Amino acid sequence: MKRKLAPFVENIGESTAACLVAMVQGNLFAVSLTHWAIATRTGIVAGVFAATALLLMRTTARWRIAITLALVTGVVDYFMHPGKLGPGVTEAVVTGLGAGVLSLLVGALIRRVRAQSAE
């Protein structure tokens, strides 16, 4: 059961973090409860959609996971709230790219931890 929930939790966390950072344009001191609420809502919707798509794709390739999460997060972010970073779609693109990069980084970290624990 834990293994089945892990992709959902991971994708939600990565989407939420990327949305939050993009929304405040990297200034974490500017984060408010409103930012948290919007980022959490975006992260939950994007994370669930991405994890469901990945389950249907039956892939474990880290790059496919990252690309899927990036695309889904960008689209969901665009429709969840108006962007304040440049022209209309810019914030959604930045958020999607951020989620994809976070996915790759977290995947590498998980792989490293599993390799060390297997030794």
Side-chain angles (χ1 to χ4, degrees), residues 22-119:
M23 231 186 315
V24 297
Q25 298 174 21
N27 181 5
L28 298 180
F29 294 113
V31 173
S32 68
L33 288 176
T34 303
H35 291 118
W36 273 107
I38 293 168
T40 301
R41 193 171 53 233
T42 302
I44 289 171
V45 173
V48 168
F49 277 133
T52 302
L54 292 165
L55 283 173
L56 293 173
M57 289 168 47
R58 296 181 184 188
T59 186
T60 57
R62 204 66 219 176
W63 65 274
R64 286 183 180 169
I65 293 169
I67 289 172
T68 302
L69 185 63
L71 291 172
V72 171
T73 301
V75 170
V76 170
D77 186 80
Y78 179 77
F79 286 107
M80 291 298 271
H81 65 93
K84 294 183 175 139
L85 177 67
V89 74
T90 305
E91 186 176 318
V93 170
V94 169
T95 301
L97 290 173
V101 168
L102 275 174
S103 179
L104 288 172
L105 292 173
V106 169
L109 180 65
I110 289 171
R111 206 171 320 120
R112 176 176 281 172
V113 168
R114 285 184 181 157
Q116 286 179 350
S117 67
E119 291 177 353

